[in-house]
Amino acid sequence: LFQARSSKHVTASTPFPLTLWTGGATATHGGRAFHAPNSDFVQLHRDRARSTAVKKEGWVVEPTTSFDGHRTNASTLAVHALFLDADGTGDWHQLIRVAQGLGLAGIFYRSGGHTPTRPKWRAVFPLAKMHETTTESGRAAWRQLYLSARVLFGALAGLSNDGFDPSTDVPCTPWFLTE
């Protein structure tokens, strides 16, 4: 787990709002709000990395605010971070160098199933300003922003093939913590 140097707008002490489900991929209700500093989100990753979970039964997070704890787009009020997923392509070192050079805050971690021959990793970029998703147009705008960002960051990372996963473009995409 690595945290790039902080930007002017996002630091280790900046709140990192997200919704957390501890019951795995099928636990789509009862998410709880996590509104702690970025450094606490990094520590949560470190703590969960010491745990073992059966595939799809680990803790799930979304960098979102939910009004009712349900993992649906209709329940999502805002997105607070850009999560990018790389499966089987590249490594994070080039993107870390670029992010540091640009002064972007970011969190990078290996996802489950990572091996040296098939890298699986994520890059998380906290947003300086939340993106509202309470309307269909807000969700559509998020999708366009996400798809553009995945291509841009994929190019900056030197990723081949599809680069970052194009299918994680909706606000309620579940992200597993590394366990």
Side-chain angles (χ1 to χ4, degrees):
L1 191 66
F2 175 85
Q3 185 170 353
R5 75 178 167 89
S6 300
S7 71
K8 295 177 194 170
H9 303 288
V10 178
T11 68
S13 61
T14 301
F16 191 96
L18 60 84
T19 305
L20 172 69
W21 292 266
T22 59
T26 59
T28 59
H29 295 81
R32 62 182 171 101
F34 177 95
H35 194 76
N38 283 314
S39 59
D40 287 6
F41 180 63
V42 170
Q43 187 60 49
L44 176 66
H45 270 282
R46 287 185 178 130
D47 293 345
R48 295 308 301 169
R50 294 180 183 96
S51 301
T52 302
V54 175
K55 187 170 178 81
K56 301 218 181 232
E57 292 183 15
W59 287 16
V60 176
V61 297
E62 284 177 7
T64 62
T65 303
S66 169
F67 74 88
D68 61 3
H70 295 180
R71 204 176 72 227
T72 65
N73 283 332
S75 295
T76 303
L77 300 172
V79 176
H80 303 281
L82 173 68
F83 268 63
L84 296 168
D85 186 38
D87 284 336
T89 182
D91 72 33
W92 58 34
H93 294 98
Q94 182 170 328
L95 186 54
I96 288 172
R97 282 191 299 276
V98 170
Q100 286 178 318
L102 294 172
L104 296 176
I107 301 163
F108 300 80
Y109 68 98
R110 290 186 176 99
S111 51
H114 171 85
T115 67
T117 57
R118 182 155 166 74
K120 294 179 71 153
W121 56 279
R122 300 214 172 100
V124 181
F125 294 101
L127 302 178
K129 179 182 170 192
M130 71 176 184
H131 180 86
E132 290 186 30
T133 57
T134 57
T135 63
E136 188 57 43
S137 63
R139 289 186 289 276
W142 173 254
R143 181 174 191 270
Q144 289 304 317
L145 289 168
Y146 175 85
L147 293 174
S148 296
R150 77 168 263 287
V151 170
L152 173 66
F153 281 101
L156 293 174
L159 301 184
S160 60
N161 302 325
D162 284 336
F164 288 111
D165 188 346
S167 66
T168 56
D169 59 348
V170 297
C172 71
T173 298
W175 296 98
F176 286 92
L177 296 177
T178 298
E179 298 171 315

